[in-house]
Amino acid sequence: MFERRQPIPIAEAVKKIMEYEMQGVTEPISIEESYGRFLAEDLTATCDVPHFDRAPYDGFAIRSIDSSDASASHPVEFEVVDHIGAGMVSQKLIAANQAVRIMTGAMMPEGTDAVVMFEVAQAYEKNGIPYMSIKREFKAGENVSFHGEDAKEGEVLVRKGTLINPGIQAMLATFGYNQVPVAKKPLVGLFATGTELLEVDEPLVPGKIRNSNSHMIAAQIERAGGAVQYLGKLPDVFDTCFTAVKNALDKVDILITTGGVSVGDYDFLPEIYEKLEAKVLFNKVAMRPGSVTTVAQHNGKLLFGLSGNPSACYVGFELFTRPIIRRMLCSSKPHLRIEKAILETDFPKANPFTRFVRSSAYIECGKLKVTPSGLDKSNIIMSLAGANSLTILPGGTRGFTKGAEVDVLLLEDQAGSEWPW
Amino acid sequence: MFERRQPIPIAEAVKKIMEYEMQGVTEPISIEESYGRFLAEDLTATCDVPHFDRAPYDGFAIRSIDSSDASASHPVEFEVVDHIGAGMVSQKLIAANQAVRIMTGAMMPEGTDAVVMFEVAQAYEKNGIPYMSIKREFKAGENVSFHGEDAKEGEVLVRKGTLINPGIQAMLATFGYNQVPVAKKPLVGLFATGTELLEVDEPLVPGKIRNSNSHMIAAQIERAGGAVQYLGKLPDVFDTCFTAVKNALDKVDILITTGGVSVGDYDFLPEIYEKLEAKVLFNKVAMRPGSVTTVAQHNGKLLFGLSGNPSACYVGFELFTRPIIRRMLCSSKPHLRIEKAILETDFPKANPFTRFVRSSAYIECGKLKVTPSGLDKSNIIMSLAGANSLTILPGGTRGFTKGAEVDVLLLEDQAGSEWPW
């Protein structure tokens, strides 16, 4: 009467998916649009930084050699022969005991090799000509930012696969990357299945619920860095479903369906995979929630058959689909980051299978702590709102008590893990 | 010769800014666009969830009273009179010892009050009519998800000011929020000043550098949740600058300038504030970098005069501008989140003023650790790329050694702090 499915371990399921070496595609976009995208190439320095010796302070640029005799009892006087701000270049040739008044960021005038900050100079005029004097020696290079001090041309500064943050934006601008090579967002198609589903703007009727999974998954795709193509709800007619799935595969990089993958009487997906002649990588995983997650491959495209149950759907996406999206964004750490945390509440339920508990991770007194973000019934969406992590409670355990050390997967983190299992 | 400025403590500077009770504006947008935005109103349940008693498993819905005599030696038989999936509603009136074959998510047929999972039922046919039998009693309510069990109509589920994550997207869909009341992104105008600045696509020339601050700040504005209006570079002509700033104020919610706020010979901003008759809240803060940050107010708009120095600019934005943006996004925790961390490298430099060190915070063995993300010269943008935090080293200290407990401000975090100082 039921189809018997053989659950496989989580690590094996993830491995089967990651064997498909989906490649990232480079897309050049303008620097204005690149924040929050992923670098598709290593970011290299296109010039030395600074690309000239520069004054890091407001003051007077001098030839240090002229200051060698300066002391409290023997001030040395300089004639101030020029005055430059950042962006200006002095045209003067600096002779002995001459100085240039210089502002932060300006290029050191030729021949000068030290900057006397205003605070330690005595400035005055004689016959309308500006002078300044100092009471100590300045060493060659004192208060100078040197050419190439921050970066050398050709140096790799940031590795490909890195999320572009404000600091990287600054670097891109510094090195003239008006066009930035970022990873094209993989296009993830999304079908919902289920006769019970209403659209968000439809009124409730008995027995039906609004389709929340598609909106949730769409946001998860965006969080992972993908682009969403919502393809609508699949009707309850096999041929229509089959054609819709088949046609969608040509238009997207990855295809997700929610619902219809279990062994229920109205679950069409297994038959669709069969008729497509898709290779089913697995259709049951030893985990809760999400055990009925099915992943198949057809003509080099991956089909993720996620559960219709919101929690199972959520977890299935994060464990199985996210790493493929991140891989296509050139990440070398495509999996959710895993960390140790202290469990802050008892979790008395036994775990025959490894359980992923939606939870809220937070730092307290410098330590990572975690607490379930709501009841753990798999049909309760409420707990998803407060979840920033999934606590892993390994299978074969008899429950956990407050204070236990547990593994958590961090959902909002961008650093990632190479392999969390 | 120099203007003497009186530095004020950081907390006082932040307080002066936050006294301007900038209000968030509600903008209704479609649910498809709401991921990553901030709720402008509390999210309340518009119906009970579930809004009908539902089967949480595949099985048979029965009247529990009919099972009261069931035991291993005395199985009780039920006639299966209907078959429903999720979204279907049984039209049958269930009489004694009748059952309905039911799929997960379907509405409990009238009169039934328990679900017998397939695994514990014996199903068979007699004369083409389906039957099933059970060998134990089922209690009223057993394996039923009750009407209103997850949420009650009118209940506040998520507070305003919360960032919309995938779980909240699911809730919005569940409760029919096709239009979502989010906080309008404050429009932040951005001018760069400095003769030394080239555009990103211009070739380098002696003494000039590409404008990296505007791109960095634009990304910081986006990270904070604001919208960017880049207004270009201000030329070195006072009247033109003045008019540009004055006109921009009418078009944006917040105005940021980078550079020109110090006491250098080419720093125009102080004069512009004066001619505008803007009220300068402060023009020097007891901190490094960023001490010359100036904040002024004119006709209810805030003007942030950030330093032209990249690091100072970065820090000034995060400490002073970000909380105003978050306030306008309805957040009750608008400041950067502060946490305790273990310093993982020596920091021998003395701190006459409180120092914000660009750093990389990470969790190791369940503990938050932090290490400077590069050299701490204030003109080095390289260290900004790896920074996800600012380590606070209080003023009046003689340096720190590895293992010390320090405060860190987390730049990528979305939870925020009510008040970090």
Side-chain angles (χ1 to χ4, degrees):
Chain A
M1 181 169 175
F2 317 114
E3 177 198 348
R4 289 272 165 219
R5 293 182 177 179
Q6 193 55 42
I8 67 169
I10 301 160
E12 198 182 314
V14 174
K15 205 160 156 246
K16 275 174 185 279
I17 295 168
M18 299 309 281
E19 275 165 11
Y20 290 89
E21 298 279 351
M22 318 296 277
Q23 296 299 316
V25 176
T26 302
E27 175 181 43
I29 59 166
S30 83
I31 187 171
E32 280 79 14
E33 297 170 298
S34 67
Y35 169 68
R37 299 293 296 268
F38 292 79
L39 284 172
E41 295 171 14
D42 290 347
L43 170 58
T44 53
T46 56
C47 61
D48 292 348
V49 172
H51 68 102
F52 49 85
D53 292 349
R54 62 190 282 281
Y57 304 111
D58 294 348
F60 298 99
I62 61 166
R63 305 174 350 150
S64 61
I65 196 169
D66 299 336
S67 73
S68 57
D69 288 344
S71 68
S73 57
H74 181 258
V76 171
E77 182 178 80
F78 291 81
E79 184 192 355
V80 181
V81 297
D82 204 0
H83 178 189
I84 58 170
M88 303 176 191
V89 178
S90 177
Q91 303 302 332
K92 295 280 162 68
L93 237 151
I94 308 304
N97 287 79
Q98 290 186 333
V100 172
R101 185 178 169 94
I102 194 167
M103 295 292 121
T104 306
M107 186 164 97
M108 295 292 290
E110 217 181 313
T112 65
D113 63 357
V115 171
V116 177
M117 287 158 78
F118 282 147
E119 296 88 307
V120 295
Q122 183 72 25
Y124 48 92
E125 284 193 4
K126 287 199 294 195
N127 302 324
I129 296 168
Y131 284 85
M132 69 94 181
S133 72
I134 54 177
K135 292 181 174 174
R136 71 164 177 88
E137 187 185 357
F138 279 75
K139 299 256 176 282
E142 199 169 338
N143 296 334
V144 176
S145 289
F146 287 104
H147 186 274
E149 178 178 282
D150 291 359
K152 294 261 183 264
E153 187 177 336
E155 201 180 320
V156 172
L157 301 164
V158 185
R159 288 287 167 195
K160 80 173 193 177
T162 305
L163 183 75
I164 298 176
N165 65 18
I168 295 175
Q169 284 280 117
M171 288 172 62
L172 289 166
T174 298
F175 294 108
Y177 288 92
N178 196 38
Q179 293 284 308
V180 182
V182 301
K184 190 165 186 288
K185 293 183 178 196
L187 185 60
V188 186
L190 187 54
F191 277 121
T193 76
T195 310
E196 75 276 24
L197 300 180
L198 301 168
E199 293 297 347
V200 177
D201 55 357
E202 289 184 273
L204 291 180
V205 294
K208 301 212 174 196
I209 57 170
R210 296 195 187 95
N211 172 15
S212 59
N213 282 347
S214 293
H215 293 280
M216 178 181 78
I217 290 282
Q220 288 178 282
I221 292 168
E222 284 192 60
R223 179 165 70 185
V228 184
Q229 170 103 56
Y230 179 57
L231 300 163
K233 287 187 298 186
L234 285 180
D236 251 355
V237 184
F238 179 82
D239 287 336
T240 319
C241 287
F242 173 77
T243 310
V245 168
K246 193 170 187 304
N247 291 343
L249 273 172
D250 294 335
K251 291 174 201 138
V252 298
D253 298 309
I254 292 167
L255 185 63
I256 293 177
T257 53
T258 59
V261 282
S262 192
V263 292
D265 300 343
Y266 305 93
D267 288 338
F268 275 158
L269 264 299
E271 268 179 273
I272 291 177
Y273 297 137
E274 201 177 319
K275 189 169 171 189
L276 267 179
E277 296 178 18
K279 182 186 167 194
V280 173
L281 307 186
F282 55 85
N283 61 15
K284 192 153 191 174
V285 188
M287 62 187 260
R288 293 283 185 279
S291 67
V292 299
T293 308
T294 300
V295 179
Q297 185 266 127
H298 184 61
N299 290 343
K301 299 271 172 78
L302 287 169
L303 292 85
F304 291 84
L306 304 180
S307 168
N309 169 307
S311 300
C313 184
Y314 189 96
V315 170
F317 176 89
E318 296 295 336
L319 297 193
F320 303 120
T321 318
R322 180 193 193 273
I324 279 293
I325 293 175
R326 283 289 162 103
R327 164 80 60 83
M328 293 179 82
L329 293 169
C330 304
S331 175
S332 56
K333 294 179 171 180
H335 303 277
L336 287 174
R337 197 170 109 204
I338 190 166
E339 295 293 353
K340 297 279 179 210
I342 305 297
L343 188 65
E344 282 300 291
T345 30
D346 289 337
F347 196 91
K349 236 191 290 193
N351 295 298
F353 292 98
T354 295
R355 187 185 294 272
F356 294 87
V357 184
R358 301 174 293 286
S359 48
S360 164
Y362 54 96
I363 294 159
E364 199 176 77
C365 304
K367 286 189 187 131
L368 188 62
K369 301 187 172 182
V370 72
T371 190
S373 57
L375 289 165
D376 196 47
K377 284 211 176 176
S378 61
N379 48 1
I380 293 180
I381 61 148
M382 302 307 140
S383 65
L384 290 173
N388 63 8
S389 52
L390 298 169
T391 299
I392 308 179
L393 301 178
T397 51
R398 294 185 150 273
F400 287 81
T401 49
K402 187 178 162 166
E405 188 184 74
V406 292
D407 283 325
V408 287
L409 297 172
L410 302 180
L411 296 164
E412 300 290 346
D413 166 77
Q414 294 297 349
S417 284
E418 280 181 41
W419 182 253
W421 288 281
Chain B
M1 180 170 175
F2 318 115
E3 177 197 347
R4 289 273 166 217
R5 294 181 177 181
Q6 193 54 45
I8 67 169
I10 301 159
E12 198 181 316
V14 175
K15 206 160 155 247
K16 276 175 185 279
I17 296 167
M18 298 310 280
E19 275 164 11
Y20 290 88
E21 297 279 351
M22 318 295 277
Q23 295 299 315
V25 175
T26 302
E27 175 180 42
I29 59 165
S30 83
I31 187 171
E32 280 79 14
E33 296 169 298
S34 67
Y35 170 68
R37 300 293 295 268
F38 293 79
L39 284 172
E41 297 171 13
D42 291 346
L43 170 58
T44 53
T46 56
C47 59
D48 291 348
V49 172
H51 67 102
F52 50 85
D53 293 348
R54 62 189 283 281
Y57 304 111
D58 294 347
F60 298 99
I62 61 165
R63 308 176 344 153
S64 61
I65 196 169
D66 297 336
S67 73
S68 57
D69 288 343
S71 67
S73 58
H74 181 258
V76 170
E77 182 179 85
F78 291 80
E79 184 192 352
V80 181
V81 296
D82 205 357
H83 179 189
I84 58 170
M88 304 177 192
V89 177
S90 177
Q91 303 302 331
K92 295 280 163 70
L93 236 152
I94 308 305
N97 286 79
Q98 290 187 333
V100 171
R101 184 176 171 95
I102 193 166
M103 294 291 119
T104 306
M107 184 164 100
M108 295 293 288
E110 217 181 313
T112 64
D113 62 357
V115 172
V116 177
M117 288 158 78
F118 282 147
E119 297 88 306
V120 294
Q122 182 73 26
Y124 48 92
E125 284 192 6
K126 289 198 292 193
N127 302 324
I129 297 167
Y131 285 84
M132 70 92 181
S133 72
I134 55 177
K135 291 180 173 173
R136 71 163 176 90
E137 186 185 358
F138 279 75
K139 300 255 176 283
E142 200 168 337
N143 297 333
V144 176
S145 290
F146 287 104
H147 186 274
E149 180 177 281
D150 291 359
K152 294 260 184 264
E153 187 177 337
E155 201 180 320
V156 172
L157 301 164
V158 185
R159 289 284 169 199
K160 79 173 192 175
T162 304
L163 182 75
I164 297 176
N165 65 17
I168 295 176
Q169 283 280 116
M171 288 172 62
L172 289 166
T174 297
F175 294 109
Y177 287 91
N178 196 38
Q179 293 284 309
V180 182
V182 301
K184 191 165 185 288
K185 293 182 178 197
L187 184 61
V188 186
L190 187 53
F191 277 120
T193 75
T195 309
E196 75 275 25
L197 300 181
L198 301 168
E199 294 297 347
V200 177
D201 55 357
E202 288 184 274
L204 291 180
V205 295
K208 302 214 176 197
I209 58 170
R210 296 195 187 95
N211 171 16
S212 60
N213 282 346
S214 293
H215 293 279
M216 179 181 77
I217 290 282
Q220 288 178 281
I221 293 168
E222 284 192 59
R223 179 166 69 185
V228 185
Q229 170 102 55
Y230 179 56
L231 299 163
K233 286 188 298 187
L234 285 180
D236 252 355
V237 184
F238 180 82
D239 287 336
T240 318
C241 287
F242 173 78
T243 310
V245 169
K246 193 170 188 299
N247 291 343
L249 274 172
D250 294 335
K251 292 174 200 138
V252 297
D253 298 309
I254 292 168
L255 185 63
I256 293 177
T257 53
T258 59
V261 282
S262 191
V263 293
D265 301 342
Y266 305 92
D267 288 337
F268 276 159
L269 265 298
E271 270 179 89
I272 291 177
Y273 296 138
E274 201 177 321
K275 189 167 172 191
L276 268 180
E277 296 179 20
K279 181 185 168 196
V280 173
L281 307 187
F282 54 87
N283 60 14
K284 192 153 192 174
V285 188
M287 62 188 259
R288 293 284 183 280
S291 66
V292 298
T293 308
T294 300
V295 179
Q297 186 267 128
H298 184 62
N299 289 344
K301 299 269 173 80
L302 287 169
L303 292 85
F304 291 84
L306 303 180
S307 167
N309 169 307
S311 300
C313 184
Y314 190 94
V315 170
F317 176 89
E318 296 295 337
L319 297 193
F320 303 121
T321 318
R322 181 193 192 274
I324 280 292
I325 294 175
R326 282 290 163 102
R327 163 82 58 83
M328 293 180 82
L329 293 170
C330 304
S331 176
S332 55
K333 294 180 172 180
H335 303 277
L336 287 174
R337 198 170 108 204
I338 191 167
E339 295 293 352
K340 297 278 178 210
I342 305 297
L343 188 64
E344 282 299 292
T345 31
D346 290 337
F347 197 90
K349 235 189 292 193
N351 295 299
F353 292 98
T354 295
R355 187 184 294 273
F356 293 86
V357 184
R358 300 173 293 287
S359 48
S360 164
Y362 54 97
I363 294 160
E364 199 175 76
C365 304
K367 285 188 187 132
L368 188 63
K369 302 188 171 182
V370 73
T371 190
S373 56
L375 289 165
D376 197 48
K377 283 212 179 177
S378 62
N379 50 359
I380 294 181
I381 61 146
M382 302 306 140
S383 66
L384 290 174
N388 63 8
S389 52
L390 298 170
T391 298
I392 308 179
L393 300 178
T397 51
R398 296 185 148 274
F400 287 81
T401 49
K402 187 178 162 168
E405 188 185 73
V406 292
D407 283 325
V408 287
L409 298 172
L410 302 180
L411 296 165
E412 299 289 347
D413 166 77
Q414 294 296 348
S417 284
E418 278 182 42
W419 182 252
W421 288 281

